[in-house]
Amino acid sequence: MNFSEKLESGKFLVTCEVAPIKGVNIAKVLDEEAEPLRGKVDGFNVTDMQSSVMRLGSLPVCHLLAQRGLEPIFQITCRDRNGIALQSDLLSAYVLGIRNVLVLTGDYVTLGDHPETKPVFDLDSVSLLKVASTLTEGKDMKGNELDGKPEFCLGAVVNPGYDPVELQLIKMEKKIRAGAKFFQTQAIYDLETFEKFMKEAEKFKVPVLGGIIPLKSAGMAKYMNEHIAGISVPEKYIRMMAEAKKEERVKTSIQISVELIRGIKSLCRGVHIMPMGWKHALELLAATELA
Amino acid sequence: MLVTQLKPEEEVLPKISGKRLFIFECLGCKELYFPKEEVGKFVDSLKEEITGRAILDYLCNREFVKAYVGEYSKEIEGADLVLVFSCGVGTQVVSSLLESKLVYTGCDTLYLNGFQGLSARNFNCNQCGQCYLNYTAGICPITNCPKGLLNGPCGGTKDGKCEVDPEADCAWVLIYKRLEKLGKLDTLTEILSPRDYSKNITEYLSQKEGVK
Ligand code: SF4
Ligand code: SF4
């Protein structure tokens, strides 16, 4: 079963993020990050120069994963490419065996390590989804015919902790109309907020995978609370991480994530794990009995 | 101080049909180009009730416009919406002064190559040539959102502030709040196409003779 069929099947899904490295040491990404999770996850999201840090591209890494029989989810942002390049990369992705595409607006360039570069944002997440849908109908965004149609399972992101959340729901509905068949969310730490969000989002009847970022430390949690949109790690988790001895931190972090995943499980169709350099995704999956 | 063109009728008429209108017209840029005659003809052709009409110079000057808004408060009060014929700056000025009124623009502001102009203090217009203010409650998404997003916010808004500049309000949260206040949130459900970067003044002028 491929990812799209699994979405249809109603099965509880697990996806995990792999981040291309800054450089060309591809073994790190493929052998160390992705390979250990073979058979344990339903899809590998490959990030597109996350946080606007210049790195190896999502497209070739997705292709190499697909060659190994690991199901890639190609993340594509509107930050660095105009409409011509985005469409071309989507066609290239299809030819390289990539079927799942997650469309994002992308962070602003000043957040990353090339703050003085030119931000593009020719399209936005909604218009890019629409353009990708148009490609699958055999036309480019200007209506010109394509020789052969690509097929994509399109996805998008949503931030359940966004304030005002109605604004996210309006955009979510637009993304669905533009072709999104699944959603992955920003990290969830507060199940109550997520439950409220899902009550509203349920009406769309589109599978949602709840985001998990395992905590590395209390400092990381505090940093995210202060700086990252839509994230609010509750005080109790920050305390648990602060009180854990150094060698117990991974265990405590897993315990927190497992608790969250159990909660998420009853509310939506899957989880999306974003390790962000944390090396224990496999242990987390085992502990969740998802593995 | 920008160059404007009348919006296509198909775009404006559905927004104003059957409504009582108050009209602002700006003449500030007549030394550049403002479609004074076309606007006059268009306004005369409207079947809608017009509660008042103010024609003034420099709609981009907020203090100045404030005085007019005071003077015409009754006529504005009696209108369902205010229709502005000016560049994007003028419309943003009027909209900022009439928080609980629907303010629409009847013009597109075109890009003038190399033009530096006078910049208004409070509002900016990038002369995008297809003014979006009628979708965004008079708040310009091109100049207020660093990404120039047209279909809603990115995920980066934190406590109503922009991910790019935590001192600045997220334009899309402002747009949302204003539309909510106006009972017009449904405007946001429309999917807007990407910007047309081929719209610029050179192309426009070449189609048009007699423009100073
Ligand atoms: S949307 Fe903004 S940039 Fe475009 S014409 Fe209107 S005010 Fe100017
Ligand atoms: S936070 Fe708001 S204003 Fe800033 S880039 Fe995102 S949508 Fe635009």
Side-chain angles (χ1 to χ4, degrees):
Chain A
M1 247 197 284
N2 64 25
F3 187 67
S4 164
E5 288 159 356
K6 283 179 179 169
L7 283 172
E8 300 271 309
S9 75
K11 172 183 182 297
F12 189 79
L13 300 179
V14 185
T15 53
C16 187
E17 190 173 277
V18 285
I21 32 122
K22 194 174 182 74
V24 292
N25 199 351
I26 186 71
K28 265 207 174 131
V29 185
L30 298 177
D31 301 329
E32 290 174 32
E33 275 200 57
E35 204 56 67
L37 302 179
R38 181 184 282 277
K40 321 258 186 234
V41 299
D42 302 294
F44 292 89
N45 278 66
V46 184
T47 51
D48 178 11
M49 293 180 269
Q50 205 169 14
S51 310
S52 308
V53 172
M54 192 289 294
R55 298 158 178 276
L56 182 62
S58 172
L59 185 59
V61 173
C62 283
H63 168 62
L64 294 170
L65 288 173
Q67 264 187 341
R68 291 180 176 215
L70 298 171
E71 178 107 21
I73 300 172
F74 172 38
Q75 296 199 181
I76 185 165
T77 74
C78 304
R79 180 191 53 226
D80 309 311
R81 281 160 288 194
N82 66 9
I84 298 176
L86 286 168
Q87 293 181 91
S88 175
D89 274 2
L90 285 169
L91 297 182
S92 305
Y94 179 77
V95 170
L96 293 171
I98 298 159
R99 297 293 176 266
N100 314 304
V101 181
L102 187 84
V103 171
L104 306 98
T105 300
D107 293 324
Y108 202 67
V109 293
T110 49
L111 268 59
D113 62 355
H114 286 58
E116 51 292 275
T117 202
K118 181 175 186 182
V120 180
F121 302 105
D122 185 12
L123 309 189
D124 58 36
S125 52
V126 176
S127 48
L128 180 52
L129 280 163
K130 216 172 152 194
V131 166
S133 300
T134 310
L135 294 177
T136 64
E137 289 155 13
K139 294 232 181 346
D140 73 10
M141 66 185 279
K142 290 285 126 201
N144 304 307
E145 296 277 338
L146 303 177
D147 190 352
K149 300 181 198 176
E151 267 170 50
F152 296 120
C153 172
L154 298 172
V157 293
V158 66
N159 189 345
Y162 190 94
D163 179 30
V165 72
E166 298 78 19
L167 193 45
Q168 281 290 302
L169 291 161
I170 292 171
K171 196 161 182 183
M172 187 178 181
E173 190 274 332
K174 277 164 102 160
K175 287 176 175 178
I176 294 166
R177 247 187 301 140
K181 295 279 182 294
F182 69 96
F183 283 85
Q184 291 172 318
T185 79
Q186 173 63 289
I188 296 157
Y189 293 99
D190 176 0
L191 289 169
E192 229 172 90
T193 307
F194 186 57
E195 189 173 357
K196 267 196 222 135
F197 168 81
M198 280 311 298
K199 275 220 176 90
E200 296 290 332
E202 245 165 32
K203 59 173 178 274
F204 299 137
K205 309 231 174 318
V206 172
V208 172
L209 278 64
I212 291 285
I213 299 180
L215 294 173
K216 288 177 208 158
S217 63
M220 172 197 183
K222 284 188 206 151
Y223 179 86
M224 289 197 298
N225 280 353
E226 252 172 63
H227 297 282
I228 310 293
I231 290 192
S232 54
V233 184
E235 200 43 49
K236 66 168 180 183
Y237 292 150
I238 299 182
R239 214 176 318 116
M240 280 169 74
M241 288 307 290
E243 282 164 9
K245 287 197 203 82
K246 205 164 179 222
E247 59 280 10
E248 280 171 3
R249 267 193 212 149
V250 170
K251 217 177 97 202
T252 309
S253 172
I254 289 178
Q255 194 188 332
I256 293 169
S257 292
V258 167
E259 189 177 311
L260 290 168
I261 292 171
R262 291 233 167 89
I264 288 172
K265 221 171 173 170
S266 62
L267 298 170
C268 68
R269 276 290 308 283
V271 283
H272 173 52
I273 298 166
M274 297 167 271
M276 321 265 274
W278 188 75
K279 304 269 182 251
H280 311 277
L282 191 60
E283 293 156 64
L284 171 59
L285 289 175
T288 330
E289 298 150 354
L290 292 167
Chain B
M1 291 294 282
L2 303 166
V3 179
T4 51
Q5 141 186 32
L6 204 60
K7 269 191 183 295
E9 285 191 7
E10 327 72 91
E11 199 187 320
V12 183
L13 290 179
K15 297 235 170 228
I16 61 171
S17 108
K19 301 269 164 52
R20 277 167 303 166
L21 313 173
F22 184 87
I23 291 174
F24 271 110
E25 277 169 57
C26 178
L27 296 178
C29 291
K30 57 182 179 299
E31 62 273 21
L32 261 171
Y33 187 66
F34 179 76
K36 184 169 179 292
E37 270 162 40
E38 280 121 302
V39 169
K41 257 192 243 155
F42 179 70
V43 173
D44 290 342
S45 77
L46 291 174
K47 285 176 212 63
E48 281 68 25
E49 182 190 332
I50 292 170
T51 65
R53 182 169 177 182
I55 303 181
L56 58 156
D57 285 342
Y58 299 103
L59 209 54
C60 50
N61 182 327
R62 196 166 187 269
E63 283 314 306
F64 181 54
V65 177
K66 207 172 180 174
Y68 269 82
V69 164
E71 203 176 304
Y72 284 96
S73 60
K74 256 221 204 92
E75 289 88 339
I76 293 174
E77 187 70 34
D80 301 314
L81 65 87
V82 174
L83 186 58
V84 182
F85 295 93
S86 76
C87 70
V89 177
T91 308
Q92 291 181 73
V93 166
V94 175
S95 141
S96 77
L97 288 167
L98 296 170
E99 280 276 307
S100 45
K101 263 276 171 272
L102 260 184
V103 177
Y104 285 140
T105 183
C107 292
D108 286 324
T109 304
L110 291 145
Y111 184 63
L112 187 56
N113 235 341
F115 180 69
Q116 300 301 313
L118 291 179
S119 78
R121 255 154 294 151
N122 300 310
F123 302 95
N124 288 316
C125 170
N126 258 0
Q127 304 139 272
C128 75
Q130 38 189 163
C131 193
Y132 295 104
L133 295 177
N134 296 348
Y135 298 96
T136 54
I139 297 164
C140 171
I142 306 289
T143 54
N144 289 299
C145 165
K147 298 177 189 172
L149 300 179
L150 299 179
N151 281 303
C154 70
T157 323
K158 178 89 179 156
D159 305 324
K161 300 293 179 190
C162 173
E163 78 169 23
V164 180
D165 176 5
E167 301 285 305
D169 291 325
C170 166
W172 277 98
V173 172
L174 295 181
I175 291 168
Y176 171 82
K177 286 195 180 145
R178 184 103 202 273
L179 284 171
E180 189 184 33
K181 197 163 159 187
L182 295 166
K184 281 275 170 194
L185 279 178
D186 56 324
T187 318
L188 290 182
T189 57
E190 186 165 337
I191 296 179
L192 295 185
S193 307
R195 252 178 88 173
D196 177 353
Y197 281 88
S198 74
K199 291 227 160 157
N200 66 47
I201 190 67
T202 327
E203 167 211 38
Y204 176 60
L205 289 180
S206 68
Q207 294 165 3
K208 201 160 189 84
E209 279 177 3
V211 174
K212 276 180 265 172

